[in-house]
Amino acid sequence: MKETDLLQTVKERMGIEALNDMQRQALDAWKTGGGDLILYSPTGTGKTLAFSLCVLQAVKPPMQRLQAVVLSPSRELVMQTAEILRSLAAGYKVTPCYGGHAVTDEKASLAVVPDIIVATPGRLLDHQRRGHIDLSGTRLLVLDEMDKSLELGFEDEMRQLLKHMPRLNRRILASATVLDDVPDYVRLHNPFTLNVLDETIQPSERITVWQVPSDSKDKLDTLRQLLLSLDGGKTIVFANFRESAERIHQWLVKNRIDAGLYHGALEQQDRERVIAMLNNGSINVLVSTDLASRGLDIDTVDHIIHYHLPVSSQAYVHRNGRTARVEARGNAYVITAPGETFPDWLTLDAQFDLHPAARMPRASMSTLYFQAGKKEKLSRGDILGFIVANADVAASDIGRIDVRDHYSLAAVPRQRVQDVLQHIKDAKIKGKKVRISLLK
């Protein structure tokens, strides 16, 4: 695609008037270099858009042949990247492949060969082994979050996938942290490294890090007082273990705080739903393991709480990277138990004085669950029109609507949700009866 067309599409479909310096440098290096590109840039600076523009600048017109593969280490990153590419790549078929939903749906999507596949390594290798896709003609490969993609847990899968892409002529490797050595099996060719980690204003420079001392080893009551002391906004609470995240979540819900839970043992639909609820205002707090530190498409996060000290400086950077994205500011809070010591890489700015309110404001919205989605030919417009036509609620009062493959979510004002549900639960949408319920 021509650069002028790409930039106009970015403006029209994403509302971005101009590329930032990193994105401009990446696109220029990709156009003029001719070899591979290694991109190091801080979390939240727009790396996904940067490499997406490089991909679309390089691919030829649609030809019903696989041209490019983007590999990401998590389902959430795959969905986010695929959404950006789809919004920019008019006329190109972009197919996401990731675990947690039916292989048969993806097989059907691959029946007509896509121009671009965005996938987790394991799921793409599974499709290759089943004969659903031929990777041998792929010319362009992107490794997103390459520090994660190339670590030991993915090494076997990555080696096998790259063996099935013998005709690669260009590669893009992107990360927020520098990788000491790129494995030989990646077969880098004339790589150009663009490292703007030092040139860019780091998110850490826009984040105030507060110490929150806890009087006891069990930090739950301190966490509650901290949440009651914050001035609203979205908050992510990080714990080191799934069991701890579940315990914290249960305790917060018991104390009437609108919180959601996120970790790797949950079903994919449950993980998608809770992120949608955080984005649409149905919950204020997300309790998670480090899984939520990368790749999630979450609107502005105001507060990061480290219930447990992170296990490494890298984990700390990625956790804090969920706030202060692009040019925004943010806050991180480190709850410390008596006698707990700090690693050398953790620097505190000040101690936070708790001033808890009597109660935390409830979330402003509630989420309706529709048991039908894209595969049942539902769209956001269908759902919006359906609610407005059957319930006494204005279109402007309806919040975010998310449409997935086989279900949809719609946010409505919390104080009106029962009335809205009562009016629409027996109505038909596009001539069909769809099960509708309140998502909790």
Side-chain angles (χ1 to χ4, degrees):
M1 297 177 67
K2 293 182 179 179
E3 182 180 337
T4 52
D5 295 337
L6 271 176
L7 298 181
Q8 184 63 28
T9 302
V10 169
K11 181 178 179 179
E12 293 175 354
R13 301 192 180 183
M14 301 186 70
I16 297 174
E17 293 290 332
L19 302 183
N20 63 34
D21 288 343
M22 178 275 292
Q23 292 162 344
R24 181 73 269 167
Q25 290 181 62
L27 190 55
D28 288 345
W30 179 251
K31 287 189 305 178
T32 60
D36 297 338
L37 174 64
I38 300 175
L39 172 61
Y40 294 118
S41 187
T43 298
T45 53
K47 286 191 297 297
T48 303
L49 177 57
F51 70 67
S52 295
L53 292 173
C54 292
V55 168
L56 295 175
Q57 195 274 330
V59 294
K60 297 179 180 179
M63 57 182 67
Q64 292 190 338
R65 180 170 64 81
L66 181 61
Q67 300 191 56
V69 170
V70 181
L71 293 177
S72 294
S74 71
R75 304 162 182 171
E76 290 76 17
L77 269 172
V78 167
M79 291 186 288
Q80 177 183 327
T81 302
E83 185 173 347
I84 289 175
L85 281 167
R86 279 173 167 168
S87 67
L88 298 177
Y92 290 86
K93 184 180 181 185
V94 180
T95 299
C97 299
Y98 53 89
H101 69 299
V103 173
T104 52
D105 285 345
E106 291 183 351
K107 179 183 177 181
S109 295
L110 293 170
V112 176
V113 180
D115 300 283
I116 302 169
I117 287 179
V118 187
T120 53
R123 180 52 73 95
L124 184 59
L125 187 59
D126 184 42
H127 282 299
Q128 191 279 327
R129 287 170 172 167
R130 293 170 185 254
H132 298 164
I133 190 69
D134 178 8
L135 301 174
S136 62
T138 308
R139 295 303 182 96
L140 172 59
L141 172 68
V142 178
L143 298 181
D144 189 17
E145 298 282 3
M146 66 170 174
D147 57 321
K148 184 77 173 175
S149 297
L150 297 177
E151 69 180 10
L152 291 177
F154 289 100
E155 183 175 2
D156 289 343
E157 294 172 343
M158 293 298 298
R159 283 182 180 274
Q160 293 179 58
L161 281 171
L162 285 163
K163 284 181 181 178
H164 292 293
M165 302 182 198
R167 299 179 185 174
L168 284 178
N169 56 23
R170 299 198 76 179
R171 300 154 190 82
I172 302 172
L173 282 65
S175 178
T177 53
V178 174
L179 195 67
D180 293 333
D181 294 299
V182 177
D184 291 340
Y185 63 78
V186 178
R187 306 193 307 273
L188 285 176
H189 171 67
N190 191 26
F192 176 83
T193 299
L194 175 60
N195 186 342
V196 297
L197 291 172
D198 294 330
E199 301 171 17
T200 309
I201 298 176
Q202 297 278 0
S204 59
E205 298 177 32
R206 304 192 304 274
I207 297 173
T208 303
V209 182
W210 303 89
Q211 180 186 10
V212 185
S214 174
D215 293 333
S216 66
K217 198 168 183 178
D218 188 334
K219 304 174 182 178
L220 284 175
D221 188 59
T222 304
L223 172 62
R224 177 178 174 275
Q225 291 185 58
L226 173 58
L227 289 170
L228 292 176
S229 300
L230 301 181
D231 53 354
K234 294 186 180 72
T235 300
I236 301 180
V237 180
F238 283 105
N240 288 348
F241 311 103
R242 293 173 182 173
E243 295 80 5
S244 300
E246 290 174 352
R247 175 173 173 262
I248 294 166
H249 173 252
Q250 291 171 2
W251 193 85
L252 292 178
V253 171
K254 183 179 179 180
N255 282 270
R256 296 181 62 79
I257 291 175
D258 295 315
L261 177 66
Y262 190 92
H263 60 63
L266 297 173
E267 294 292 332
Q268 177 65 17
Q269 274 200 16
D270 292 332
R271 286 157 59 178
E272 292 174 357
R273 292 171 189 172
V274 76
I275 297 303
M277 292 176 73
L278 183 67
N279 278 330
N280 70 25
S282 295
I283 57 174
N284 301 318
V285 179
L286 182 70
V287 183
S288 179
T289 59
D290 282 332
L291 184 65
S293 65
R294 300 188 189 218
L296 294 182
D297 184 15
I298 301 176
D299 298 339
T300 306
V301 176
D302 301 280
H303 309 288
I304 298 297
I305 298 176
H306 301 276
Y307 185 87
H308 291 139
L309 287 174
V311 297
S312 68
S313 60
Q314 188 179 66
Y316 179 69
V317 167
H318 284 288
R319 284 183 182 185
N320 286 352
R322 303 316 306 168
T323 189
R325 298 181 73 80
V326 190
E327 297 300 327
R329 301 196 63 83
N331 293 281
Y333 306 83
V334 182
I335 303 179
T336 56
E340 196 166 15
T341 58
F342 301 111
D344 294 338
W345 41 260
L346 197 155
T347 302
L348 300 168
D349 294 319
Q351 183 169 308
F352 187 79
D353 294 325
L354 296 171
H355 46 87
R359 63 178 61 87
M360 190 171 179
R362 301 301 303 273
S364 61
M365 308 295 281
S366 290
T367 298
L368 296 175
Y369 175 86
F370 291 71
Q371 197 169 331
K374 295 176 184 175
K375 300 296 184 181
E376 290 75 33
K377 309 300 183 185
L378 274 191
S379 68
R380 290 184 178 90
D382 293 331
I383 293 172
L384 177 64
F386 170 75
I387 296 174
V388 170
N390 290 280
D392 184 21
V393 58
S396 58
D397 290 333
I398 298 172
R400 178 167 170 159
I401 297 174
D402 292 278
V403 181
R404 301 294 185 179
D405 282 351
H406 294 291
Y407 72 91
S408 304
L409 307 174
V412 297
R414 175 185 287 270
Q415 67 272 21
R416 295 289 315 280
V417 65
Q418 292 297 339
D419 180 57
V420 171
L421 184 59
Q422 186 66 30
H423 280 84
I424 67 175
K425 66 178 183 179
D426 295 321
K428 292 183 178 181
I429 181 168
K430 297 188 75 173
K432 296 181 180 179
K433 185 74 170 64
V434 173
R435 181 183 174 189
I436 306 170
S437 58
L438 177 62
L439 192 61
K440 297 183 179 180

